[in-house]
Amino acid sequence: AQKVTQAQTEISVVEKEDVTLDCVYETRDTTYYLFWYKQPPSGELVFLIRRNSFDEQNEISGRYSWNFQKSTSSFNFTITASQVVDSAVYFCALSEGPYSGAGSYQLTFGKGTKLSVIP
Amino acid sequence: DGGITQSPKYLFRKEGQNVTLSCEQNLNHDAMYWYRQDPGQGLRLIYYSQIVNDFQKGDIAEGYSVSREKKESFPLTVTSAQKNPTAFYLCASSISSGKGNEQYFGPGTRLTVT
């Protein structure tokens, strides 16, 4: 069974500090996908990134960067120069593949990390 | 603009009453999903539908029912059999149910049952 662990329940940083959100996953499949979502106080989850298991290149998008390491089963998310607007709950999620029957398509979410950026 | 709408944003019901949560999408997505979120918890899958007139139970389907008569719509009914219905409910859709397809979420409905 697949599992996603976000060990950091809550993090507080001062504006402009860098912060890294940890995500560790477990899966038996060799083909899988990892996701990060942001949930601002409004409640709607916003898709941030998808990474497949064959692509270990790190990705940078503005102030956001992601570090995928298969050797440690981790997919960490770093926000550089944090801003108040980054305050939200961030979820890491895992989807196994290829399709192998009912239920194997679904996303498994971690419990989320609540980030508070203090001005 | 394409997106997912859920209504209402807040819903209050008395214990013992069934209640239906609306979810509509105009993204032309085949797959739709219902999740439940409790405080401090991740999202748990209630039901999903890969195509019209077909749906499957997720991890916590007991006490819930769904229908998928139209591609755009996937309403969720919380029945009186659901023991702890108070929660935040999120609807999502994806282009298909393939493993690598990201899901897009609606704004959610916060249900309170007293």
Side-chain angles (χ1 to χ4, degrees):
Chain A
Q2 55 189 33
K3 183 179 177 182
V4 176
T5 301
Q6 295 180 256
Q8 304 150 308
T9 305
E10 294 192 38
I11 301 176
S12 290
V13 298
V14 176
E15 200 171 19
K16 297 184 182 178
E17 286 185 346
D18 299 347
V19 58
T20 296
L21 309 182
D22 298 332
C23 174
V24 175
Y25 62 92
E26 296 177 26
T27 179
R28 295 179 182 177
D29 274 2
T30 56
T31 303
Y32 53 89
Y33 297 84
L34 294 160
F35 303 80
W36 275 96
Y37 284 87
K38 174 182 180 179
Q39 186 178 40
S42 61
E44 180 174 345
L45 265 74
V46 177
F47 166 74
L48 295 178
I49 190 172
R50 172 188 61 204
R51 174 67 73 220
N52 74 57
S53 52
F54 296 107
D55 182 1
E56 288 194 70
Q57 283 191 342
N58 292 332
E59 180 152 342
I60 298 175
S61 176
R63 295 184 298 107
Y64 295 171
S65 62
W66 291 269
N67 184 311
F68 175 33
Q69 293 194 342
K70 289 178 74 171
S71 60
T72 56
S73 296
S74 65
F75 187 43
N76 296 338
F77 173 29
T78 297
I79 302 175
T80 303
S82 60
Q83 299 177 2
V84 173
V85 293
D86 296 327
S87 297
V89 180
Y90 291 87
F91 290 96
C92 181
L94 168 69
S95 178
E96 290 179 321
Y99 182 81
S100 58
S104 63
Y105 65 94
Q106 58 183 284
L107 284 179
T108 297
F109 285 84
K111 292 188 176 182
T113 296
K114 182 178 181 180
L115 174 65
S116 297
V117 181
I118 304 165
Chain B
D1 288 336
I4 301 174
T5 57
Q6 291 184 244
S7 60
K9 190 167 180 64
Y10 298 95
L11 191 54
F12 299 89
R13 280 294 182 270
K14 296 288 188 184
E15 194 173 332
Q17 294 179 336
N18 291 355
V19 60
T20 297
L21 281 59
S22 168
C23 177
E24 303 277 334
Q25 55 99 359
N26 61 3
L27 299 168
N28 200 32
H29 285 173
D30 283 325
M32 297 187 74
Y33 313 82
W34 274 106
Y35 291 91
R36 171 182 171 137
Q37 185 180 20
D38 294 284
Q41 300 295 315
L43 278 67
R44 292 183 290 168
L45 183 67
I46 304 173
Y47 268 98
Y48 66 97
S49 168
Q50 299 178 66
I51 199 168
V52 174
N53 293 322
D54 180 70
F55 48 83
Q56 305 291 334
K57 292 182 179 180
D59 298 325
I60 55 166
E62 186 176 349
Y64 300 97
S65 66
V66 293
S67 63
R68 186 87 186 276
E69 297 176 1
K70 297 187 300 182
K71 187 175 185 177
E72 304 79 25
S73 178
F74 191 40
L76 172 74
T77 297
V78 184
T79 75
S80 55
Q82 168 51 232
K83 295 180 181 179
N84 297 297
T86 294
F88 187 52
Y89 291 88
L90 285 156
C91 178
S93 71
S94 62
I95 190 165
S96 73
S97 59
K99 301 308 162 292
N101 293 322
E102 61 268 27
Q103 295 180 17
Y104 293 92
F105 286 80
T109 292
R110 194 168 298 278
L111 173 65
T112 302
V113 177
T114 58

